[in-house]
Structures are given as C-alpha cells and as structure tokens.
Amino acid sequence: MGNQRFQKRSEFFIRRLLILLILLLTLPLALAGCGDSRDSHKHAAEHGTLDLRNRSFLEEGAVALNGEWAFYPRQLLTPEQLASNAPGVHYVDVPKSWNSYPGDYGLKDGMGFATYRLTVRIDPTEQVLALRVPNIYSAYKLWINGELLTSEGTVGTSRQSSKAEQYPSVVAFKAETGQIDIVAQVSNFQHRKGGIWVEFRLGGSDSMLRMQKWSAAQDMVIFGSLLIIGIYHIGLYAFRRQEKFTIHFGLLCLIVALRAGVTGDSYLLQFFPISWETGVKLGYISLPLCAISGYLYVYRLFPQDASRKAIKAIMGIGFVLTFFVLIVPAIIYSKILLFYQLFALVVGLYCLVVLVIARMNRREGASFVLAGMGVFVLTVFNDVFFYNEWLVYAQLVPLGLFFFILMQSFIISTRFSSALRRVELVSNELRELNAHLEERIEERTDALKQTNQTLEEANRELGRMETSRRHLMTNISHDLRTPITLLQGYLEAIQDGVVSTEEQRQRYVRMMLGKVGG
C-alpha cells in the first residue's frame, strides 16, 4: 500500500512538472516567433530598399532585414559597379535560398554565384550600429557603404576558384549619412543550397554584441552540458556494465553535442582546425548515428516492449548512410538531406510507439522517457522544416535533447529513490533483528542447556548399560569356561590312550554328555 501511494504521488507530480516544463519550453519560442513575424511585417524591404526612419535602435532593439533584396544572378559586382545601375537586376525574398527563385534567374541546382544588394534608410545618428551576418552558403564578401567589412571563404565563379567557409559574424560601422548600402557577393559550388537563407539583423552595436554574447553563451552551455553529461553516462557504464542504457544515452549526448558544434554558429569549426567539408560531414552523419544510439537507448531501457529485430535494420541503414557521407563530397550527399531527416524521424516515431507501450505496461521511468522523447522528436521536426525552408526559425535539436536529458535525470532520481526505499526497508528489518537479537540468544542458550542436560543423562545411562554388559559377558565367559575345561580333560585322556577299554570310553562319553547337558 505504501509503495502504491508513493507511485501515485510521483505520477501526479510528474504530470504537473512535465506540463510546466513543456509550457516553459514552448512559450518563449511561440512569443519569439510572433515577435519576429510582427517585426518582419512592419519592416519589410521593397524593391531593394528598407525604410527604418523614425525607428530608434536603442529603444526598439534590432530588426531583421527581411523582404525584397536586389539580386544579380551570375554576376559578382562591386559597390562601384552597382553605383552605375548594373543591368540584370531582380528582386527576391530574403532570407531564402536561390534554389527557390524562378527558373529564369534562379539557380535550381544550388551551384552558382550572384550579388545581393539592400539599401536601408535610417535617421542619421552618431550611434555605432552593427550588422549580424548569418551563415551564408557557402562563401561571401560583404560591403557596407562601399567598405569591405567581412568575408568568409573565397568567392569564385567555379568550384576550382572558390572555397567554402561558414561562420556568422557581427560587423560594426557608422551610419552618419542616414543610408546604409549593403552589398554581398555570394558563391556556392559545394552545397545543395546557396544564397542567403538565414536573416540578417541590424541594431545598435552594444545590443548586437550582447545578443551575440548571449547566443554564444547559450550555445556553449548546451554544448558543454551535452558533452559533460555524455562523458558522465559513459563513465557510469564503465563502472557498472549492467546498466547498458547509459552508454547509448552518453553516445547520443556526444553526437548531438558534435552536431551543435558544427551547425549554427559552428564553434567547433572556429576553435579547431576543422575544414568546412569535414564540419558538414560531421553534421550529416550525426543524423543516422543519433537514430541508432537513440533506439538502442530505448531498447536497453525497455527490452520487453521494443523489437530486437529492428536493431539490425536501423543499424544497417544508419551505417550505410554514414559511410555514404564519408566517401562522397557535400555537393552529392547534401542533396539527399531529406532522406537522412526522414530516417531519423521514422526511428524517433517508432521509439515513441515503444515508449507508449512501455507506459501502458507501467514500466518504471516510461513517463519521463516518453515526455523527453516527444519533445525531442518535435525539435527534429522543427529542424526538418528549418533546413528545407518550410519554417525559417532556428535549429532546436540541441535544446530538445537538453529537455530529454532533464527527463533522464528524473529517471535516475526515481531509480535512486527506489533504491533508497529498499535500503530503508532492509535497515528497518536489521534494526528489528538487532532489537530482538538478545532475546533470541537467551532462548537459544536455554535450548542448548536443556539439550546438554539431556545428552548428559543419556551418556550416564549408556555408562550404566555398558557396565551391565561387561558383568554379563564375564559371567557368561566363566560359565562356559568350566564345562569346556572338563571336556578338554576327557578328550585328552581318550587321545593319550588312558582309556583303553570300550567300557571306559562309553563311560567317559556319558560323562561328557552329562557335562554338556547339565
């Protein structure tokens, strides 16, 4: 009864806590999404011009530079060349990859080069402004008011003359004239998508730097947490091999940490000498490896509800996809990204089915894993929408796994609590045994004394019986020895010839018979 009440209270607490955590996770995202949509609708560029006059960056913060940018396909133009009204201009939506632009000026296969231009009108200010430049696939040069302020990779007109890099950056500048002319040369011959498909943001330099620091701190906290927790769980497996789910969960954390480090702001690529191609490969192979380690984690937790046959299928497909990424360049495997994403989603949905069955069977910890896996799968869906430009917001898989890890901590807590309860029960039993131990020892001592007395009486009785036996044997021996001695004398007389006549022999025989019979 006590265990049932404890379990019911735990489940009630879990449900309330999960609802609160999910609200805390989704509410900021919803508010952020609504805020961005309102801001983008209010300030949207038209025909290559964005009017931000009468806007205070100090009071209203940064603004996304979304809308219609001027686009010069298959041309790499400098600000000086654009000043003379270069021909071939089109107006396209930014952020959006140039693969999605109409066929007469779009670059359907993603490979090519082009120039973007946006003119921003603001009130003249002495305030130092800053522009956050996102990852642009896959090389770019950026001018502001005719001055080259930043570049990544090498912009070229062919694969041989270009080099891919992808780091976001923040550039500061002054806008005392009231006009900001942004020109970006972009080339891509290494990836399935090219162009600007993540938004630029413009604001005061202080606020933009704070935003960049906050974003970096948030990403590093998630990356560091995933890394530490992954190593921690692998260490748990090293010391306790019976809990095999810990190594798969640890590997899942490390793989997602690796993905977080080579996507988004790409901190691993910035801090370590890792090439762009290697970084992209690491990001792609993380998808099938996450699917493998995630299912193995669920299977080790609930082997009664998961299919062992599915392990071979998931591992086979996952390792084939991983090997394919390792042997071909990014321009090939990046074109089948959707297949990688669908594989991860299918495995994630099957894990949800297994967890629902485990929850119905009342497996310990199934509610926590189900909640964490549900949020994690939702963030995978978000990333599928993000990378296919169906919903341009941000990648959330590391955040989803962070929530999943939180649920894992609850699993460890419940198991720890159950173990403590079992220890407490054993301790109570030991205390009861110790309390009654002296009484039991006295009872056992009395029983042993009675047993010893019984044995002593039996031993004395055996002694008396042995004495009687000896007396009896002595009497029997004496009684037997006398007639035998007489018989021996008669027989020796007959043998020695003392008895010579038949009459004497008959007499001796009668005498011997008399002794025997008497």
Side-chain angles (χ1 to χ4, degrees):
M1 293 294 294
N3 290 334
Q4 292 179 354
R5 288 195 299 269
F6 175 76
Q7 185 175 2
K8 289 181 180 179
R9 289 197 299 268
S10 300
E11 291 179 353
F12 177 79
F13 172 74
I14 291 166
R15 286 194 294 268
R16 294 295 182 269
L17 184 60
L18 290 179
I19 293 173
L20 178 61
L21 289 174
I22 292 173
L23 288 176
L24 291 175
L25 179 67
T26 57
L27 185 60
L29 301 181
L31 293 176
C34 294
D36 288 346
S37 63
R38 291 194 302 268
D39 185 67
S40 299
H41 179 73
K42 182 179 179 181
H43 301 286
E46 296 180 357
H47 290 83
T49 301
L50 178 61
D51 192 350
L52 295 179
R53 288 175 292 187
N54 300 322
R55 177 187 174 89
S56 172
F57 291 108
L58 287 175
E59 297 177 359
E60 301 181 55
V63 62
L65 304 184
N66 299 340
E68 294 180 344
W69 287 44
F71 180 67
Y72 300 85
R74 301 175 184 86
Q75 299 182 73
L76 296 178
L77 304 175
T78 62
E80 291 79 10
Q81 293 171 322
L82 290 171
S84 59
N85 295 323
V89 64
H90 300 272
Y91 296 99
V92 297
D93 290 333
V94 173
K96 211 169 189 179
S97 67
W98 59 36
N99 306 54
S100 59
Y101 298 155
D104 56 342
Y105 59 86
L107 304 174
K108 293 298 182 182
D109 60 355
M111 293 187 292
F113 53 93
T115 302
Y116 290 84
R117 182 182 184 183
L118 177 67
T119 300
V120 183
R121 294 195 177 99
I122 62 172
D123 294 325
T125 178
E126 295 182 357
Q127 179 187 3
V128 177
L129 301 181
L131 181 70
R132 189 182 192 279
V133 185
N135 285 332
I136 299 177
Y137 281 81
S138 52
Y140 70 91
K141 289 182 178 180
L142 183 75
W143 289 264
I144 296 180
N145 292 335
E147 182 181 359
L148 180 63
L149 293 185
T150 184
S151 65
E152 292 295 343
T154 302
V155 177
T157 57
S158 65
R159 183 177 178 84
Q160 291 73 25
S161 61
S162 62
K163 179 183 177 182
E165 293 289 351
Q166 56 172 35
Y167 305 126
S169 60
V170 175
V171 293
F173 59 93
K174 288 187 176 182
E176 298 175 349
T177 62
Q179 180 168 307
I180 305 171
D181 190 42
I182 302 171
V183 176
Q185 292 181 356
V186 181
S187 68
N188 175 60
F189 294 93
Q190 293 83 12
H191 197 265
R192 67 186 180 96
K193 290 200 303 184
I196 302 172
W197 47 288
V198 180
E199 65 184 14
F200 283 74
R201 296 191 70 85
L202 176 65
S205 61
D206 293 338
S207 63
M208 292 300 294
L209 289 175
R210 282 195 301 270
M211 183 186 301
Q212 181 67 14
K213 290 179 180 179
W214 171 252
S215 176
Q218 182 180 7
D219 291 343
M220 293 305 294
V221 165
I222 294 176
F223 173 79
S225 300
L226 293 174
L227 187 64
I228 293 172
I229 294 174
I231 295 174
Y232 169 76
H233 280 83
I234 292 176
L236 283 180
Y237 175 75
F239 289 103
R240 184 173 174 80
R241 299 294 180 90
Q242 295 87 345
E243 302 289 350
K244 294 184 179 180
F245 75 91
T246 55
I247 188 171
H248 300 301
F249 185 78
L251 290 174
L252 179 63
C253 292
L254 293 182
I255 293 169
V256 177
L258 180 65
R259 178 174 176 79
V262 297
T263 57
D265 288 347
S266 308
Y267 291 109
L268 285 182
L269 302 183
Q270 297 183 47
F271 297 153
F272 299 97
I274 301 175
S275 66
W276 178 87
E277 180 78 30
T278 302
V280 176
K281 286 182 182 292
L282 292 175
Y284 271 72
I285 65 174
S286 65
L287 291 172
L289 293 181
C290 278
I292 294 172
S293 57
Y295 180 73
L296 288 176
Y297 165 69
V298 173
Y299 174 79
R300 295 300 184 186
L301 274 178
F302 310 108
Q304 305 94 332
D305 308 302
S307 172
R308 186 176 181 84
K309 295 180 180 179
I311 295 177
K312 294 182 179 180
I314 293 173
M315 293 184 67
I317 297 174
F319 286 133
V320 167
L321 294 176
T322 300
F323 182 72
F324 182 75
V325 169
L326 294 176
I327 63 174
V328 300
I331 192 61
I332 297 177
Y333 61 75
S334 63
K335 292 181 179 180
I336 59 171
L337 172 63
L338 185 59
F339 186 76
Y340 285 77
Q341 294 170 333
L342 289 176
F343 172 69
L345 281 177
V346 169
V347 175
L349 292 174
Y350 178 64
C351 289
L352 286 179
V353 172
V354 172
L355 293 173
V356 169
I357 296 174
R359 177 65 183 85
M360 294 173 61
N361 292 332
R362 298 184 178 276
R363 309 295 186 195
E364 183 181 3
S367 300
F368 293 124
V369 185
L370 178 60
M373 181 64 73
V375 174
F376 183 54
V377 171
L378 286 178
T379 59
V380 174
F381 269 108
N382 175 84
D383 278 24
V384 172
F385 294 152
F386 174 75
Y387 284 104
N388 289 282
E389 296 183 86
W390 301 333
L391 175 64
V392 181
Y393 178 65
Q395 61 166 352
L396 296 176
V397 164
L399 188 60
L401 185 63
F402 194 76
F403 182 82
F404 189 33
I405 291 170
L406 184 61
M407 294 299 100
Q408 171 68 14
S409 66
F410 282 118
I411 295 174
I412 296 176
S413 299
T414 54
R415 293 194 174 192
F416 183 70
S417 299
S418 299
L420 282 180
R421 286 178 61 83
R422 289 192 292 269
V423 170
E424 289 176 355
L425 291 175
V426 173
S427 299
N428 291 333
E429 292 178 357
L430 288 175
R431 280 195 295 267
E432 292 180 359
L433 288 173
N434 291 331
H436 300 290
L437 185 60
E438 293 182 358
E439 297 178 1
R440 294 186 179 183
I441 289 175
E442 291 180 358
E443 293 176 357
R444 295 292 177 86
T445 303
D446 293 338
L448 288 174
K449 288 180 179 179
Q450 294 178 359
T451 302
N452 288 333
Q453 291 177 358
T454 303
L455 289 174
E456 289 177 357
E457 292 177 358
N459 189 35
R460 286 195 295 269
E461 183 66 24
L462 287 174
R464 289 194 297 269
M465 293 175 64
E466 178 66 18
T467 302
S468 299
R469 184 189 66 81
R470 289 178 180 178
H471 290 164
L472 176 63
M473 292 302 296
T474 302
N475 294 332
I476 292 172
S477 176
H478 179 269
D479 292 341
L480 288 175
R481 188 178 297 114
T482 300
I484 289 174
T485 302
L486 293 174
L487 289 175
Q488 183 179 3
Y490 293 145
L491 291 174
E492 288 177 356
I494 295 172
Q495 182 181 6
D496 294 339
V498 174
V499 180
S500 58
T501 65
E502 182 63 26
E503 182 181 355
Q504 290 178 332
R505 281 196 297 273
Q506 289 296 328
R507 186 166 60 85
Y508 273 86
V509 169
R510 286 193 298 271
M511 290 173 64
M512 285 187 289
L513 289 174
K515 295 295 182 183
V516 172

